[in-house]
Amino acid sequence: AKQKGKDHFQFYVASIDQEIRDRKQLETDLSKALSLNQLHLVYQPQINLETKRVIGAEALLRWEHPVRGLVPPDYFIPVAENNGSIVGIGQWVLEQACLQAKLWADKGLPLRIAVNLSAVQLHQNTIVDDILGTLKRYDIPAGRLELEVTETSFMTNMSDAVAKLHTLNRAGISLAVDDFGTGYSSLTYLKKMPVQHLKIDKQFIRDLLVNKEDTRITNTIIDLGRSLNLTVVAEGVETAEQEYYLTQRGCKLAQGYFFSKPLRPADFETFVQEFHEK
Ligand code: C2E
Ligand code: CA
Ligand code: CA
Ligand code: CA
């Protein structure tokens, strides 16, 4: 039994060691990803459920690793947040998204682009100037940019977050609470933060019509949005039944595979054309 315990111990150490090396390698690779052109953005259409029009797009980051293939953002964003490289990457995302917004506007597609802003980015001293400066350089009206922030951003340093988000919002940028209901939700945040949109996390939408709790949580968020005058966005809509339910229940905006997965810009343009012809 002793022997077995020892083996187990060694196995444990070896696997942790492997994990640390893996992660170090990932960090090294990620630090070069930008300059090696391995990052790109895809855009997921956001649909107005009443008018059935595409009103905007969420920009989502993709990393094409030469060996590992496509690395999911849920895996590498936390790494980038941990070592600070999210600051440079996030700025690049913002610039790419603004460039795309400009290209689309020039083609007669004045879409609002939603960009995910990490808590680490929000708490940078220069973030407000960085964002406003980028809009100016790319000649994008502030109303065409939406920033998606999670409740984590409010927790770390609430007064700092409030001050910065107020400045950004006063400049005309709209703000969404992402993954609403999954973090440390507090109604105090909603009262203090100048937000306009609540995004219902896809974990509540997935079993919306199967699981009673999910139905009630979704209903509650929609009602909360209505009473606080916030636009509610459902993410992860995958079926016609979910779309129908959300529309009837008064949810204003939706995104999800039922409409489209996140797309490269050219495919996005084709999608909009075909969707509006229907
Ligand atoms: P998120 O902001 O909550 O984004 C929604 C995720 O749901 C995206 O995953 C999207 O591709 C996926 N999704 C969309 N429709 C459906 C659907 O119908 N069903 C299902 N099952 N999933 C759907 P993705 O692109 O893998 O991104 C994962 C997370 O990574 C994002 O979650 C966001 O937190 C983070 N992320 C992505 N891009 C960026 C970025 O540029 N900056 C930062 N800070 N975070 C990012
Ligand atoms: Ca998001
Ligand atoms: Ca989410
Ligand atoms: Ca998220």
Side-chain angles (χ1 to χ4, degrees), residues 58-60 114-117 148-150 178-179 199 235 255:
E58 178 178 3
L60 292 156
V115 171
N116 292 285
L117 189 74
E148 298 193 356
V149 293
T150 59
D178 207 356
D179 301 346
K199 291 192 84 171
E235 74 172 23
Q255 58 186 101

Side-chain angles (χ1 to χ4, degrees), residues 75-121:
Y75 189 63
F76 73 81
I77 298 262
V79 175
E81 287 179 325
N82 245 303
N83 71 9
S85 60
I86 190 66
V87 175
I89 291 174
Q91 175 60 29
W92 179 85
V93 167
L94 186 67
E95 287 176 19
Q96 262 327 98
C98 285
L99 188 63
Q100 192 57 61
K102 177 78 183 146
L103 289 172
W104 278 336
D106 289 347
K107 283 187 175 182
L109 264 181
L111 298 166
R112 185 182 62 211
I113 311 286
V115 171
N116 292 285
L117 189 74
S118 150
V120 178
Q121 286 176 273

Side-chain angles (χ1 to χ4, degrees), residues 191-202:
K191 193 177 147 193
K192 291 207 170 152
M193 298 294 164
V195 297
Q196 290 74 48
H197 293 125
L198 285 186
K199 291 192 84 171
I200 310 177
D201 192 69
K202 59 177 183 284

Side-chain angles (χ1 to χ4, degrees), residues 70-208:
L70 206 59
V71 185
D74 277 331
Y75 189 63
F76 73 81
I77 298 262
V79 175
E81 287 179 325
N82 245 303
N83 71 9
S85 60
I86 190 66
V87 175
I89 291 174
Q91 175 60 29
W92 179 85
V93 167
L94 186 67
E95 287 176 19
Q96 262 327 98
C98 285
L99 188 63
Q100 192 57 61
K102 177 78 183 146
L103 289 172
W104 278 336
D106 289 347
K107 283 187 175 182
L109 264 181
L111 298 166
R112 185 182 62 211
I113 311 286
V115 171
N116 292 285
L117 189 74
S118 150
V120 178
Q121 286 176 273
L122 183 64
H123 292 296
Q124 295 295 306
N125 285 328
T126 59
I127 190 67
V128 172
D129 291 340
D130 292 345
I131 293 171
L132 297 180
T134 306
L135 287 176
K136 208 164 184 180
R137 255 182 294 125
Y138 287 87
D139 190 25
I140 305 292
R144 202 147 303 152
L145 179 67
E146 172 151 300
L147 295 172
E148 298 193 356
V149 293
T150 59
E151 290 153 316
T152 326
S153 304
F154 310 152
M155 285 170 50
T156 340
N157 182 343
M158 177 119 134
S159 58
D160 181 58
V162 174
K164 285 170 173 164
L165 294 177
H166 264 292
T167 311
L168 293 167
N169 190 232
R170 270 197 305 267
I173 296 169
S174 60
L175 302 171
V177 184
D178 207 356
D179 301 346
F180 185 71
T182 64
Y184 294 84
S185 304
S186 156
L187 298 179
T188 308
Y189 299 143
L190 289 188
K191 193 177 147 193
K192 291 207 170 152
M193 298 294 164
V195 297
Q196 290 74 48
H197 293 125
L198 285 186
K199 291 192 84 171
I200 310 177
D201 192 69
K202 59 177 183 284
Q203 80 169 70
F204 301 121
I205 303 298
R206 191 184 54 214
D207 298 324
L208 174 62

Side-chain angles (χ1 to χ4, degrees), residues 25-35 63 83 85 89:
Q25 186 59 50
L26 191 77
E27 280 191 47
T28 312
D29 293 353
L30 188 57
S31 68
K32 295 183 221 145
L34 250 184
S35 58
W63 179 17
N83 71 9
S85 60
I89 291 174

